Coordinates of all heavy atoms in Angstrom, one line a residue:
H316 N -82.7 -51.6 64.3 CA -82.8 -51.9 62.8 C -82.1 -53.2 62.5 O -82.5 -54.0 61.8 CB -82.3 -50.8 62.0 CG -82.3 -51.0 60.5 ND1 -83.5 -51.1 59.8 CD2 -81.3 -51.3 59.7 CE1 -83.2 -51.3 58.5 NE2 -81.9 -51.5 58.4
R317 N -80.9 -53.4 63.1 CA -80.1 -54.5 62.9 C -80.5 -55.8 63.6 O -80.5 -56.9 63.0 CB -78.7 -54.2 63.3 CG -77.6 -55.2 63.0 CD -76.9 -54.9 61.8 NE -75.7 -55.8 61.7 CZ -75.6 -56.8 61.0 NH1 -76.5 -57.2 60.2 NH2 -74.5 -57.5 61.0
F318 N -81.0 -55.7 64.8 CA -81.2 -56.9 65.6 C -82.6 -57.0 66.2 O -82.9 -58.1 66.7 CB -80.2 -56.9 66.8 CG -78.8 -57.0 66.4 CD1 -78.0 -55.8 66.5 CD2 -78.2 -58.1 65.8 CE1 -76.7 -55.8 66.1 CE2 -76.9 -58.1 65.4 CZ -76.1 -57.0 65.6
G319 N -83.4 -56.0 66.2 CA -84.8 -56.1 66.7 C -84.9 -55.7 68.2 O -83.8 -55.6 68.9
S320 N -86.1 -55.5 68.6 CA -86.3 -55.0 70.0 C -85.9 -56.0 71.1 O -85.4 -55.6 72.1 CB -87.7 -54.5 70.2 OG -88.6 -55.6 70.0
G321 N -86.2 -57.3 70.9 CA -85.9 -58.3 72.0 C -84.4 -58.3 72.2 O -84.0 -58.3 73.4
W322 N -83.6 -58.5 71.2 CA -82.2 -58.6 71.3 C -81.6 -57.3 71.9 O -80.8 -57.3 72.8 CB -81.6 -58.9 70.0 CG -80.1 -59.2 70.1 CD1 -79.5 -60.4 70.2 CD2 -79.0 -58.3 70.0 NE1 -78.2 -60.3 70.2 CE2 -77.8 -59.0 70.1 CE3 -78.9 -56.9 69.8 CZ2 -76.6 -58.4 70.1 CZ3 -77.7 -56.3 69.8 CH2 -76.5 -57.0 70.0
T323 N -82.1 -56.1 71.4 CA -81.6 -54.8 71.8 C -81.9 -54.6 73.3 O -81.0 -54.2 74.1 CB -82.2 -53.7 70.9 OG1 -81.8 -53.9 69.6 CG2 -81.7 -52.3 71.4
L324 N -83.1 -54.9 73.7 CA -83.5 -54.7 75.1 C -82.7 -55.6 76.0 O -82.3 -55.3 77.1 CB -85.0 -54.8 75.3 CG -85.8 -53.7 74.8 CD1 -87.3 -54.0 74.8 CD2 -85.6 -52.4 75.6
G325 N -82.4 -56.8 75.5 CA -81.6 -57.8 76.3 C -80.2 -57.3 76.5 O -79.7 -57.3 77.6
L326 N -79.6 -56.8 75.4 CA -78.2 -56.3 75.5 C -78.2 -55.1 76.4 O -77.3 -55.0 77.3 CB -77.7 -55.9 74.1 CG -76.4 -55.2 74.1 CD1 -75.2 -56.1 74.5 CD2 -76.1 -54.6 72.7
L327 N -79.0 -54.2 76.2 CA -79.0 -52.9 77.0 C -79.3 -53.3 78.5 O -78.7 -52.7 79.4 CB -80.0 -51.9 76.5 CG -79.7 -51.4 75.1 CD1 -80.9 -50.5 74.6 CD2 -78.4 -50.6 75.1

Side-chain angles (χ1 to χ4, degrees):
H316 179 70
R317 180 101 166 103
F318 300 106
S320 59
W322 189 92
T323 300
L324 287 170
L326 172 67
L327 296 174

